[in-house]
Amino acid sequence: MCMAVVRIVMGLEHYLLGFHFPSNISAFLQCKDNVPEFALVGRSNVGKSSLLNSLVRRKRLALISKKPGKTQCINHFRINDGWYLVDLPGYGYAAAPQELRTDWNKFTKNYFLNRSTLVGVFLLIDASIPAKKIDLEYASWLGQNQVPMTLVFTKCDKRKKKKNGGKRPEENVQDFQELIRGFFDTAPPWIMTSSVTNMGRDEVLLHMAQLRNYWLKH
C-alpha cells in the first residue's frame, strides 16, 4: 500500500511516498500518477540532500545528516504539481548491514528498469575526490542497461592543496568522464554543481525542464 504525507510549503507541493526497506517492488511500481520523475542517486555522503535542498531553495526539505546512509526509503517530492524529484537511498555505506544494502541495491535497480514514468537518473559524483570504483560500476550498470542518465558532479567549490597531491574538481570531472567513456555509445550529459554557491543549480533545473518537455511530447 502507498503511504502519502502531503504538505504545502510556500507553493512547493511536497508528497512523501515512503517505502521503507524491505518493500514490495511490484506494489511500489503500481503506485504512480503518470507524472514525470527525476531520480537522484549517489554514494552516501555525496551531498544528495544538500543538492535537493538547493534545487528547491528549501533548507530542510531533505534532512542532512552527519551520519551517511540516512535515507532508507524512496522519497517523492512533487514540484509545482508537475513533476517529481525522487530521493533514493545512497549506496556504498559500509556501516549499513549487508542484507539492508542488498535490499537497497535491488530495489533501486528494479525501479530504474521498470518505472514507466522515470524520465532520467541523475547520478551524483563527488568532484572533490578522485573517481571511486563503486561510482564507476554504477555508471557502467546504468549505461549497459540503457537507463537515461545525467552526471551531476557535486562539491565543485572545494579546492585541494596541490602540495598534498590533490586535484581540482575540474580535473576529477575530466578523469571520471575518461574512465566511463567506454560504457556509453554517446557520452552522457554532465553538470558541475555546488550546494554552497548554488553553482549549476539553474543548469540542472533547465536540463530537467527540457527532458520533461520531451517526455511529455513523446
Side-chain angles (χ1 to χ4, degrees):
M1 178 180 293
C2 298
M3 176 184 69
V5 179
V6 183
R7 63 189 175 108
I8 305 296
V9 185
M10 295 181 64
L12 175 69
E13 194 172 1
H14 172 202
Y15 287 74
L16 274 182
L17 305 185
F19 296 89
H20 293 270
F21 296 89
S23 183
N24 185 325
I25 186 66
S26 297
F28 170 72
L29 293 173
Q30 292 172 6
C31 183
K32 57 187 176 184
D33 53 9
N34 293 318
V35 174
E37 301 177 3
F38 300 93
L40 303 180
V41 68
R43 186 170 49 83
S44 294
N45 205 32
V46 74
K48 180 162 51 68
S49 295
S50 296
L51 176 66
L52 199 158
N53 289 337
S54 173
L55 290 176
V56 299
R57 296 194 187 281
R58 299 290 184 273
K59 292 183 178 180
R60 294 180 60 82
L61 182 67
L63 296 181
I64 301 170
S65 174
K66 293 181 180 179
K67 182 179 180 181
K70 186 68 173 178
T71 303
Q72 297 185 14
C73 59
I74 292 181
N75 292 325
H76 278 59
F77 299 91
R78 182 159 176 155
I79 311 299
N80 296 333
D81 203 31
W83 51 286
Y84 284 112
L85 279 175
V86 184
D87 184 13
L88 297 171
Y91 56 82
Y93 182 45
Q98 177 61 44
E99 181 179 353
L100 185 57
R101 279 184 282 155
T102 301
D103 285 339
W104 293 346
N105 192 50
K106 180 180 178 181
F107 198 97
T108 53
K109 288 185 175 179
N110 269 307
Y111 167 73
F112 293 151
L113 295 175
N114 298 295
R115 187 70 163 177
S116 61
T117 51
L118 178 64
V119 177
V121 175
F122 284 64
L123 178 62
L124 276 57
I125 306 295
D126 187 344
S128 70
I129 59 176
K132 293 284 187 179
K133 180 181 178 182
I134 191 170
D135 290 328
L136 296 170
E137 290 175 344
Y138 217 96
S140 171
W141 184 89
L142 290 170
Q144 290 172 358
N145 286 276
Q146 299 183 334
V147 177
M149 181 189 77
T150 297
L151 293 172
V152 177
F153 294 96
T154 64
K155 305 182 183 181
C156 291
D157 58 291
K158 294 190 174 183
R159 302 288 167 178
K160 300 294 184 181
K161 294 182 179 179
K162 279 288 186 179
K163 65 180 182 180
N164 294 330
K167 289 188 174 183
R168 293 181 294 112
E170 294 86 349
E171 294 175 298
N172 288 326
V173 168
Q174 183 177 358
D175 289 346
F176 192 91
Q177 290 176 307
E178 290 178 356
L179 288 169
I180 68 166
R181 197 178 304 277
F183 304 156
F184 302 89
D185 293 332
T186 303
W190 57 277
I191 302 170
M192 295 179 66
T193 69
S194 166
S195 59
V196 175
T197 65
N198 283 325
M199 170 188 180
R201 174 186 180 273
D202 292 344
E203 288 83 351
V204 171
L205 291 175
L206 176 61
H207 185 53
M208 288 180 173
Q210 291 171 337
L211 292 175
R212 172 179 175 269
N213 290 338
Y214 181 84
W215 185 85
L216 290 172
K217 291 177 180 179
H218 296 79

